[in-house]
Amino acid sequence: MKKTILVAALLSAAAGIALAQPAPPAGGRGGAGAPAGGRGTQTPNPNIRLPPFAPSTAQTTYSEQCAGCHGATLANGPKARSLFNAAYLANRSDDEIAAAIQKGWPAAGMPAFPQINDALAHQISYYLRITAGRLNAQRITMPDPNGMVIKSTDQTFKLEVLAAGLDVPWGMAFLPGGKKALVTERAGRIRVLDLATNTLSDPIKGTPVPFVRQDGGYLDIALHPNYAKNGWVYFAYTDVQPGVTPAPGSNRAPVAAPPTMTVIVRGHIRDGQWVDNQEIFRDAPEHYTQPSDHYGLRFLFDKQNNFYWTLGDRHYFYDAQNLSVPQGKVHRVTDTGKPAPGNPFIGRPGADQTIWSYGHRNPEGLAFNPVDGHLWETEHGPTGGDEVNVIQKGHNYGWGVMSNGIEPAISEIAHEGMEKPKAYFNPSIGPGGITFYSGSRYPKWKNNLFITGMVGQKLIRMAVKKDEIQFQETLLDQIGRVRDVIQGPDGYLYILLQNPTGTPASSGIAAGDAGMVVRLVPVKN
């Protein structure tokens, strides 16, 4: 039986809350007026390790100043409607909500709160969206995606499952000819997917042994642009600090873990065997840290064969501002891992010569816009505040100082000399891989940006022009964790999906063997 689902019917009640918001105006800083929460522009104490959902200034302010009238649930409050209502939030921008907080709404009897500065007013809006996402979450049962037909604004398409039973598929790279692809599984395997028969090979033998826990394991994979001639395959994995033997632990966050770090290697695959292993990146042992996430890691080659890769902050947000360490950065190297000529910090004493941009939290999406060649990036925010950025050489993207999400130790939403995101998401979508579509299978999607969401279980399409987002549409929602989207040589879009069929979408996805490779096949309207 053919399954047809309208996009509007697929969206959860909170979907409108999670649409990307444009960044607030540059004047909205904690230091421009009274410092938010008494912090302002003070340097955060690097020794503080607050839990992920520690009360923020925004939450405390809402509880003290707003909840008495509006309440703290989806039900209307004693004197006014609930501000966690999905329709209310979907029809108002953060700027509008912030203005209403500061100026009041006299016609409805709401007083002004001029003592709340612009940054805190925006953070209250972020808090509303994040909390509303939790309160509005529905226990939608994830459907079997195979054969599902989606009617979107400009294109109807069908989902075609090519391979299932993968253990958290993380990255995919098409081999020359487009008939086969390499797929990494986070559990520590590389397999070959035969697109003619939809079959998976046995794992490639002899690959490095990773540390597999929570987000650790095998990460992205890519082929050298001249792979047909040199055969180089690049991939990343997580490794334990030399000399440390990991103790058993849980895969559920938060987890106890030994010090670990991302490692990048390249090698050849011959007769099903990994050979000629070469390390492209291995950090100093003293930079290994204990959290089992924020590893980055996304790959991208440019037309000059320069190799871009991302590394997360490893939960030490002040390292994202430190040019002497690789964490929290986008890096640009030669195909052998050396600093690429023209990098912005070559010659600066103490700086990591491979850094291309900095001030990032956990970037997992990289793609060049085929129209102008500009580099776009997505990264995870703290609680909320996932970002869409256009990356420029040597620029600072603010993490550790500012955020459009909720991080108790950060009060600024903009800062002089730091780049604001092109858009941000509240609540979080957990952005993974991204791509610009340059093929002809879906004519009306030409040059559009596609963003995956793991926590939000989404595939989002954005029309962009001159580095600005003109339009956005959620194509898939509550269908499982969408980790990557790839354009194949055949012009189709492929997604890496984690979907344990029959599991409530809001209950979390733990099944490791529920990974799928899915092709989006256009359907004539």
Side-chain angles (χ1 to χ4, degrees):
M1 179 179 179
K2 184 169 72 173
K3 296 165 283 188
T4 302
I5 296 183
L6 294 173
V7 166
L10 190 63
L11 301 181
S12 67
I17 304 167
L19 290 175
Q21 295 277 334
R29 301 200 298 271
R39 295 190 179 97
T41 57
Q42 298 175 13
T43 302
N45 182 347
N47 296 314
I48 293 177
R49 288 291 182 270
L50 294 169
F53 302 108
S56 65
T57 304
Q59 179 180 348
T60 302
T61 303
Y62 180 85
S63 298
E64 295 175 350
Q65 303 291 337
C66 310
C69 292
H70 293 280
T73 68
L74 293 177
N76 290 332
K79 298 180 181 179
R81 66 178 166 187
S82 171
L83 296 182
F84 302 112
N85 180 277
Y88 168 80
L89 293 170
N91 291 314
R92 288 164 178 81
S93 69
D94 288 334
D95 288 346
E96 291 171 330
I97 294 173
I101 292 170
Q102 292 179 289
K103 298 177 182 178
W105 191 4
M110 176 181 167
F113 292 88
Q115 73 275 23
I116 296 178
N117 67 32
D118 188 61
L120 181 54
H122 275 83
Q123 289 174 334
I124 292 171
S125 181
Y126 307 158
Y127 168 74
L128 294 177
R129 295 185 192 279
I130 293 164
T131 304
R134 296 172 182 165
L135 294 174
N136 283 286
Q138 297 181 356
R139 292 182 67 83
I140 300 171
T141 299
M142 281 180 283
D144 178 358
N146 193 40
M148 183 182 295
V149 176
I150 309 295
K151 293 183 177 179
S152 68
T153 302
D154 293 328
Q155 177 70 60
T156 300
F157 60 95
K158 180 176 69 173
L159 300 181
E160 182 180 6
V161 175
L162 306 180
L166 289 158
D167 195 338
V168 190
W170 217 101
M172 184 164 119
F174 283 89
L175 294 167
K179 301 298 183 183
K180 295 182 178 181
L182 300 176
V183 181
T184 51
E185 295 177 273
R186 195 170 65 194
R189 292 183 287 269
I190 300 175
R191 297 182 186 270
V192 180
L193 171 61
D194 189 323
L195 297 168
T197 61
N198 293 348
T199 56
L200 289 162
S201 74
D202 291 334
I204 301 300
K205 297 178 181 179
T207 54
V209 177
F211 170 79
V212 181
R213 193 174 300 173
Q214 194 180 343
D215 290 348
Y218 277 12
L219 306 174
D220 204 10
I221 191 167
L223 304 185
H224 191 284
N226 294 327
Y227 173 85
K229 294 182 178 179
N230 61 36
W232 286 117
V233 178
Y234 295 69
F235 83 95
Y237 66 97
T238 54
D239 187 43
V240 176
Q241 188 179 56
V244 174
T245 301
S250 169
N251 284 324
R252 301 291 292 186
V255 303
T260 59
M261 182 54 74
T262 306
V263 176
I264 303 173
V265 297
R266 72 174 184 175
H268 295 106
I269 298 175
R270 295 196 189 103
D271 300 323
Q273 187 84 18
W274 181 261
V275 297
D276 304 327
N277 188 74
Q278 296 181 2
E279 290 186 351
I280 298 297
F281 168 75
R282 177 181 288 275
D283 204 359
E286 59 267 25
H287 292 159
Y288 283 51
T289 54
Q290 290 185 301
S292 295
D293 57 353
H294 289 212
Y295 292 112
L297 184 297
R298 194 61 65 183
F299 291 158
L300 191 64
F301 279 96
D302 66 16
K303 293 180 179 178
Q304 291 74 43
N305 296 347
N306 292 311
F307 181 45
Y308 294 77
W309 55 274
T310 67
L311 183 61
D313 68 350
R314 304 290 287 114
H315 278 294
Y316 290 75
F317 62 69
Y318 44 89
D319 278 347
Q321 294 293 321
N322 184 351
L323 292 177
S324 69
V325 298
Q327 292 92 323
K329 316 295 193 302
V330 174
H331 296 265
R332 176 177 175 264
V333 298
T334 67
D335 59 0
T336 61
K338 304 298 183 184
N343 277 2
F345 303 109
I346 289 178
R348 178 177 292 193
D352 186 331
Q353 312 286 287
T354 69
I355 294 172
W356 185 252
S357 63
Y358 65 109
H360 301 290
R361 188 172 182 269
N362 189 31
E364 291 189 15
L366 280 180
F368 287 113
N369 186 336
V371 175
D372 54 24
H374 293 178
L375 179 61
W376 288 63
E377 174 256 21
T378 53
E379 63 186 78
H380 296 250
T383 301
D386 299 336
E387 294 184 359
V388 181
N389 293 302
V390 176
I391 301 300
Q392 300 183 63
K393 173 182 177 180
H395 284 217
N396 183 348
Y397 289 80
W399 176 242
V401 177
M402 67 181 196
S403 175
N404 294 119
I406 300 298
E407 164 56 59
I410 294 176
S411 62
E412 298 190 51
I413 62 173
H415 190 92
E416 186 176 354
M418 298 181 183
E419 297 295 328
K420 297 178 294 181
K422 294 298 177 183
Y424 58 89
F425 290 92
N426 283 314
S428 293
I429 66 166
I434 64 176
T435 196
F436 279 91
Y437 183 68
S438 59
S440 58
R441 297 282 187 179
Y442 328 90
K444 293 186 177 180
W445 290 355
K446 184 88 169 183
N447 299 324
N448 285 183
L449 174 64
F450 290 80
I451 296 175
T452 62
M454 291 175 284
V455 174
Q457 303 180 40
K458 299 180 187 294
L459 178 65
I460 297 170
R461 176 177 72 93
M462 291 182 171
V464 303
K465 184 177 181 180
K466 295 182 179 180
D467 290 346
E468 298 298 333
I469 298 165
Q470 307 291 318
F471 169 84
Q472 61 179 309
E473 174 185 26
T474 300
L475 299 176
L476 300 175
D477 190 22
Q478 300 297 301
I479 198 171
R481 293 171 68 88
V482 189
R483 186 172 295 276
D484 200 6
V485 56
I486 309 103
Q487 180 179 325
D490 54 9
Y492 289 114
L493 287 174
Y494 295 77
I495 60 172
L496 301 183
L497 177 67
Q498 197 180 351
N499 176 319
T501 301
T503 299
S506 63
S507 67
I509 300 174
D513 59 354
M516 304 176 181
V517 178
V518 181
R519 180 162 52 203
L520 278 59
V521 180
V523 175
K524 292 184 179 180
N525 293 321

